[in-house]
Amino acid sequence: MSEPAYKRPRIQRSPSPVYKLDDEDDSYEPYVPVAQRRQAKLAKLTSWGANAEKDKAKRLQEEQEERDDEEREEERRREKARKERTLLMEAQEVHHRKATEDAKKTAAEKEEEADAEILAAIAARRKLASDLELAKGVQYMEPMKSSWRPPKFVRDRTPEENRRIWEKHHIIVEGEDIPPPIDNFTDMKVPDPLVKFLKSKRITKPTPIQLQGITTAFSGRDMIGIAFTGSGKTLAFCLPLIMLALEEEARLPFIRGEGPVGVILCPSRELATQTYENVLTWTAALTKDGRYPQLNTLLCIGGISMGEQSHVLNKGLHIVVATPGRLIDMLEKKRFTFDNCKYLCMDEADRMIDLGFEEDVRNIMSFFKRQRQTLLFSATMPRKIQDFAQQSLVKPVLVNVGRAGAANLDVLQVVEYVKQEAKMVYLLECLQKTPPPVIIFSENKNEVDDIQEYLLLKGVEAVAIHGSKSQEERQYAIKSFKSGAKDVMVASGVASKGLDFNDIQHVIIFSMPKEIEDYVHQIGRTGRSGKTGIATTFVNMNTPEQTLLDLKYLLMEAGQKVPPFLQSIEDPRAAQGGMLKGCPVCGGLGHGISNCPKLEDTQRRQMASHRISDDRGGY
Ligand SMILES: Nc1ncnc2c1ncn2[C@@H]1O[C@H](COP(=O)(O)OP(=O)(O)OP(=O)(O)O)[C@@H](O)[C@H]1O
């Protein structure tokens, strides 16, 4: 058995006291003397002020840095956004802006703008200069030098006196240092035998284009000459070349292989032949006198054998009259060179540049070794061609007699509505209006043949000419018509440019050409050199309304009678308001550039990229 546990008794004691040491008392503050305390406070205050300044500056700096950071960040964001913006978005914006602006414009303003855009696109063509000159950036700044001086009394004239002469002859001149007009061949210093010869041909006084054009060309200036059909442009550009050739020959006679001094380019073989014959007569008149040397002229056209003219090539050569294709051929074969050629004239220049000859002209220019005097002449020269040509000429002078593309006022224009099926029969009746010679124009080669056949059947002495005829047939037609052996010549429109037949009484336009310029050239075969003539034009349902509108305006401009069916044709542009200006591409008054038939035709031709003629010098 176990013993019970013993519980020891506990003694209750009071808790032991907690002792604290003196220095552990919180409230204890050592004693600091007053002076020392004041100094300490002062020091504290001073140091606090300086720190506050520092803090403030620091804070400001930090704030500035923060702002800079934010700006940089914003710029980064903007840059990123800019990069992310697609071209499409920009295009949309431009489009939107344009749409808003367009909404504010009138229809006329919109059309004007569209026209300007098309014109700018056309104007962006390469300058008319040789490839070499373009590549080398050769640009002539000063006109060619000339030894010709106007007589003293002309030099002494005041500008006001010159202006009065221009006004009197309805001549508009543009350009720098315009040479003075002279209204007398002798005062122009044209050699006496030539003046006498011209007189014998009833050419006694210069026509307006001659009195300004000849002095301009004599002065060595590049020029654009615009004047009515039959107003004597041929003499205006041939005479200066003849004078230049005389001067060169007198200085040092030409021997074989030398020359030519100048070249005249024409768009058709017939026109080149006619100009060549003119040059031959004028140079022969000089030589006949015995005081002047013989000048040699070469006709350079397709369809003829150049062998026949080898006698000319065997001598020094002064003047070449050419169509572009054959000229390029001769230059490439080095039958002659343009090393000393100083004069380049283009007759019917608007056609030369427009009718697919532009590249040929550039090619021809590449054969020139130095600066030349360039002259462009035509009865029709739309603004577009003038502007284009101006950039290629050196300080050009523009000599303009009447509106470019206006009809000759000496032609009485009659427009008749004739049904298609009635045309042939009515033609016979129409032929009775005047005595021969008469020219009938048709746009279509087959129609030309049909008309000739019909007339022959009816006993009318008629010849026909168009681009598909052989050179012999073409020459025969021209010769027999010119000599008076044949009364009527039926021709395709292309035969119209520049041909000068004696006293054509009546021009009948069997089918109205689409381009009003062609009409102007066709009616211009009559009413030449101051005489009057009649032009009868057949129109009907097949004639495009726009062509009729061009015709209407042309008749109005020339003060001619406008038949009721033409009067009733409304101009859609008139309804839109705005100025009715001539089309800058073709000069037609009845339409704008956006619906110009000539431009359409050019574009179609360019797309088909085929040439007008196989020999480049024919029609
Ligand atoms: N000063 C003049 N006085 C009278 N007749 C002239 C004069 N000058 C030229 N002629 C004659 O006028 C006719 C027409 O001249 P030319 O063929 O040079 O005209 P054009 O202006 O070239 O016409 P187109 O634009 O149709 O080619 C010619 O028969 C020419 O002999």
Side-chain angles (χ1 to χ4, degrees):
M1 215 163 128
S2 65
E3 238 181 297
Y6 174 73
K7 234 182 153 183
R8 264 191 316 134
R10 282 241 168 192
I11 300 163
Q12 287 288 320
R13 288 187 196 168
S14 59
S16 308
V18 179
Y19 297 101
K20 263 182 131 189
L21 293 173
D22 284 350
D23 53 354
E24 283 181 342
D25 186 353
D26 277 349
S27 58
Y28 172 75
E29 255 186 49
Y31 172 77
V32 179
V34 176
Q36 206 178 330
R37 264 196 325 241
R38 207 175 283 146
Q39 211 166 6
K41 197 170 182 178
L42 197 67
K44 197 175 170 187
L45 277 173
T46 326
S47 93
W48 182 81
N51 282 344
E53 278 294 299
K54 257 193 230 158
D55 284 352
K56 194 176 166 195
K58 198 174 165 201
R59 228 180 308 118
L60 283 176
Q61 193 185 344
E62 278 169 3
E63 276 171 15
Q64 183 58 41
E65 277 170 9
E66 233 168 74
R67 270 200 303 276
D68 287 351
D69 280 352
E70 267 171 28
E71 261 171 36
R72 267 196 295 275
E73 186 56 28
E74 180 60 32
E75 184 51 37
R76 262 198 299 278
R77 263 203 305 276
R78 273 204 296 267
E79 181 62 20
K80 201 168 161 229
R82 254 201 301 273
K83 279 186 184 156
E84 279 169 4
R85 245 159 73 104
T86 61
L87 275 175
L88 186 67
M89 283 161 71
E90 271 182 36
Q92 278 170 344
E93 258 175 45
V94 171
H95 188 74
H96 181 72
R97 265 203 307 276
K98 193 168 182 304
T100 324
E101 280 166 18
D102 276 359
K104 292 180 207 154
K105 285 178 196 151
T106 64
E109 279 171 337
K110 278 184 208 164
E111 188 171 324
E112 213 165 275
E113 256 180 32
D115 284 5
E117 265 172 39
I118 302 174
L119 200 59
I122 305 168
R125 301 202 298 197
R126 256 182 338 135
K127 215 171 127 174
L128 205 57
S130 79
D131 285 336
L132 190 72
E133 284 165 356
L134 288 173
K136 284 188 172 174
V138 176
Q139 209 170 352
Y140 303 107
M141 305 308 286
E142 287 306 315
M144 297 280 286
K145 294 265 174 294
S146 160
S147 60
W148 182 84
R149 290 280 165 279
K152 181 153 181 350
F153 82 93
V154 174
R155 290 202 305 268
D156 288 346
R157 265 196 228 136
T158 63
E160 186 48 43
E161 283 171 316
N162 284 336
R163 196 165 308 122
R164 269 204 294 275
I165 299 175
W166 290 326
E167 266 170 26
K168 181 178 158 199
H169 296 281
H170 308 284
I171 303 169
I172 299 161
V173 279
E174 278 174 33
E176 286 174 46
D177 307 324
I178 298 165
I182 301 181
D183 61 0
N184 183 307
F185 289 120
T186 308
D187 292 342
M188 285 178 186
K189 303 183 185 171
V190 174
D192 202 36
L194 193 50
V195 175
K196 279 199 183 114
F197 175 81
L198 292 175
K199 231 176 222 158
S200 73
K201 298 287 168 198
R202 284 180 295 162
I203 301 179
T204 48
K205 278 184 89 57
T207 60
I209 187 67
Q210 290 167 352
L211 65 86
Q212 181 60 46
I214 292 177
T215 60
T216 303
F218 276 180
S219 309
R221 301 293 298 269
D222 281 5
M223 71 170 282
I224 298 179
I226 304 165
F228 298 116
T229 51
S231 59
K233 294 186 285 293
T234 316
L235 185 66
F237 58 75
C238 287
L239 199 50
L241 176 52
I242 292 172
M243 297 285 282
L244 187 64
L246 275 183
E247 191 182 350
E248 295 279 316
E249 175 67 22
R251 193 175 296 152
L252 188 65
F254 281 43
I255 54 164
R256 188 193 161 136
E258 286 181 343
V261 177
V263 59
I264 296 168
L265 279 180
C266 306
S268 79
R269 297 170 186 172
E270 282 69 25
L271 183 56
T273 309
Q274 179 182 289
T275 305
Y276 164 75
E277 283 165 1
N278 272 323
V279 175
L280 280 192
T281 18
W282 293 328
T283 50
L286 279 169
T287 315
K288 216 167 135 197
D289 179 74
R291 276 181 292 159
Y292 293 91
Q294 189 190 333
L295 296 179
N296 302 318
T297 306
L298 183 80
L299 175 65
C300 194
I301 57 169
I304 60 164
S305 152
M306 295 307 290
E308 286 170 22
Q309 296 184 83
S310 55
H311 63 283
V312 181
L313 284 166
N314 285 337
K315 298 182 251 176
L317 184 59
H318 299 93
I319 297 170
V320 170
V321 184
T323 50
R326 179 53 75 93
L327 179 63
I328 292 172
D329 185 49
M330 295 290 279
L331 286 165
E332 279 171 353
K333 286 183 181 148
K334 298 199 167 41
R335 300 296 300 276
F336 53 83
T337 70
F338 275 174
D339 292 3
N340 291 306
C341 195
K342 297 177 169 174
Y343 189 97
L344 168 66
C345 175
M346 287 181 239
D347 192 10
E348 312 296 343
D350 52 335
R351 293 279 131 171
M352 293 296 306
I353 296 171
D354 247 16
L355 213 68
F357 287 125
E358 189 181 327
E359 271 317 303
D360 285 346
V361 170
R362 233 178 235 125
N363 195 349
I364 289 166
M365 284 181 165
S366 66
F367 287 93
F368 283 83
K369 292 288 179 309
R370 62 198 68 191
Q371 186 180 353
R372 66 252 149 207
Q373 184 183 359
T374 311
L375 302 95
L376 309 180
F377 277 83
S378 187
T380 51
M381 182 89 70
R383 195 76 235 176
K384 178 197 81 162
I385 299 285
Q386 286 183 41
D387 293 347
F388 173 61
Q390 293 244 8
Q391 332 158 4
S392 315
L393 306 181
V394 183
K395 287 195 181 162
V397 177
L398 176 78
V399 182
N400 200 341
V401 186
R403 182 184 72 87
N408 183 338
L409 300 180
D410 292 332
V411 182
L412 175 74
Q413 301 177 58
V414 181
V415 179
E416 299 194 33
Y417 192 96
V418 187
K419 281 189 186 158
Q420 197 63 23
E421 59 276 15
K423 273 183 172 180
M424 244 1 149
V425 180
Y426 185 63
L427 180 65
L428 270 189
E429 196 181 311
C430 205
L431 276 173
Q432 311 301 319
K433 274 192 194 175
T434 66
V438 177
I439 301 188
I440 302 168
F441 281 112
S442 162
E443 282 298 273
N444 181 305
K445 292 174 195 172
N446 293 336
E447 202 171 54
V448 169
D449 289 335
D450 291 348
I451 296 170
Q452 185 204 15
E453 208 173 300
Y454 178 78
L455 292 179
L456 289 175
L457 272 174
K458 296 289 170 188
V460 179
E461 291 283 346
V463 282
I465 181 168
H466 58 66
S468 296
K469 296 247 177 212
S470 70
Q471 188 57 27
E472 285 75 41
E473 287 173 312
R474 282 153 71 159
Q475 273 169 346
Y476 167 76
I478 299 262
K479 217 171 170 182
S480 53
F481 184 62
K482 239 180 183 170
S483 69
K486 300 288 175 183
D487 290 340
V488 174
M489 186 167 91
V490 192
S492 64
V494 275
S496 63
K497 312 272 156 20
L499 292 188
D500 182 48
F501 301 106
N502 273 341
D503 298 335
I504 300 288
Q505 301 291 315
H506 191 185
V507 168
I508 301 174
I509 300 183
F510 193 83
S511 53
M512 172 74 192
K514 262 200 307 218
E515 292 169 25
I516 199 74
E517 286 174 298
D518 289 337
Y519 169 82
V520 170
H521 282 284
Q522 288 175 14
I523 64 166
R525 295 316 97 203
T526 186
R528 296 175 76 77
S529 95
K531 297 178 195 113
T532 50
I534 305 177
T536 307
T537 305
F538 298 170
V539 296
N540 56 34
M541 298 265 289
N542 296 346
T543 321
E545 191 156 304
Q546 201 181 289
T547 309
L548 293 176
L549 204 54
D550 284 340
L551 187 55
K552 174 181 164 180
Y553 280 118
L554 198 80
L555 293 178
M556 283 162 62
E557 182 188 46
Q560 305 276 332
K561 192 167 162 249
V562 181
F565 63 88
L566 275 189
Q567 254 163 14
S568 62
I569 297 173
E570 293 291 338
D571 185 345
R573 296 171 311 156
Q576 292 168 2
M579 287 272 291
L580 296 181
K581 288 177 288 187
C583 167
V585 172
C586 76
L589 296 168
H591 64 268
I593 190 171
S594 50
N595 42 5
C596 170
K598 181 172 168 182
L599 186 62
E600 259 172 40
D601 200 46
T602 312
Q603 282 163 348
R604 212 178 21 248
R605 236 183 299 124
Q606 273 169 357
M607 278 166 80
S609 73
H610 66 74
R611 307 306 297 265
I612 287 294
S613 127
D614 52 349
D615 73 338
R616 300 182 295 182
Y619 289 135

